[in-house]
């Protein structure tokens, strides 16, 4: 399911309607969430669906999720070695620490990951997907992010 955040209220009511008489099946269950929306929409999800919301650290979850993918899904990461032949090689599986992780959201963060628990932000910018969407919608007739 894909939707713009401005439709999140409609989404919660859609989920409730789809569950019908089974809506009680999710009431009291716990979900873990990250980011600004974790604070902005907690009350909505608790009120409409009866969920308990636990807020988690976004960057910590990003690192744990990335490490899970690297350890379990082949070809999720690559190494670049200038002047090597080939310069780019894809990893089969397994984390090779340290590595750089670039996260693009409303801004961009470049993280150096040392282990499952240790990382540092080494760069980034406040301009990211939100800036791209804002400028793109002003400069084009695009009706959604995918059109840009």
């Amino acid at each position: 399911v894909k939707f713009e955040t401005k439709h999140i209220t409609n989404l919660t009511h859609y989920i409730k309607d789809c569950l019908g008489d089974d809506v009680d099946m999710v009431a009291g269950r716990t979900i873990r969430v990250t980011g600004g929306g974790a604070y902005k929409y907690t009350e909505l999800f608790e009120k409409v669906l009866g969920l308990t919301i636990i807020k988690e650290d976004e960057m910590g979850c990003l690192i744990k999720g990335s490490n899970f993918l690297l350890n379990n899904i082949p070809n999720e990461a690559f190494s670049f070695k200038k002047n090597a032949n080939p310069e780019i090689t894809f990893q089969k599986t397994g984390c090779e620490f340290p590595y750089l992780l670039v996260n693009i959201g409303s801004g961009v963060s470049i993280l150096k990951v040392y282990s499952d628990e240790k990382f540092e932000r080494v760069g980034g910018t406040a301009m990211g997907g939100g800036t791209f969407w804002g400028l793109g919608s002003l400069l084009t007739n695009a009706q959604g992010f995918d059109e840009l």
Side-chain angles (χ1 to χ4, degrees):
V1 174
K2 183 177 178 182
F3 64 93
E4 292 183 37
T5 307
K6 68 183 178 183
H7 301 296
I8 199 159
T9 300
N10 294 339
L11 173 72
T12 58
H13 290 285
Y14 173 75
I15 291 169
K16 185 176 183 178
D17 291 344
C18 286
L19 290 170
D21 293 336
D22 294 327
V23 73
D24 292 335
M25 141 177 111
V26 297
R29 297 220 176 188
T30 300
I31 61 171
R32 296 173 185 273
V33 295
T34 66
Y39 295 89
K40 189 172 182 179
Y41 300 112
T42 290
E43 186 177 328
L44 174 66
F45 277 87
E46 289 176 340
K47 181 179 174 186
V48 175
L49 297 172
L51 293 167
T52 299
I53 305 296
I54 297 177
K55 298 164 193 82
E56 296 284 352
D57 174 66
E58 186 172 7
M59 290 300 157
C61 290
L62 175 68
I63 300 303
K64 288 177 184 171
S66 295
N67 289 345
F68 175 84
L69 290 175
L70 292 171
N71 282 316
N72 294 284
I73 310 295
N75 302 318
E76 281 295 309
F78 66 88
S79 298
F80 174 80
K81 295 181 182 166
K82 190 174 182 175
N83 299 323
N85 187 13
E87 287 186 324
I88 296 174
T89 55
F90 284 87
Q91 290 178 217
K92 297 301 177 202
T93 54
C95 287
E96 293 182 20
F97 297 111
Y99 68 86
L100 289 179
L101 176 62
V102 179
N103 186 44
I104 302 172
S106 55
V108 176
S109 290
I110 303 170
L111 307 169
K112 186 174 183 181
V113 181
Y114 297 99
S115 71
D116 286 332
E117 303 294 328
K118 186 178 176 193
F119 63 92
E120 69 176 313
R121 187 173 190 271
V122 294
T125 177
M127 293 189 296
T131 303
F132 175 75
W133 166 241
L135 289 173
S137 63
L138 289 172
L139 297 171
T140 70
N141 292 322
Q143 297 299 307
F145 198 87
D146 290 340
E147 289 183 36
L148 292 173

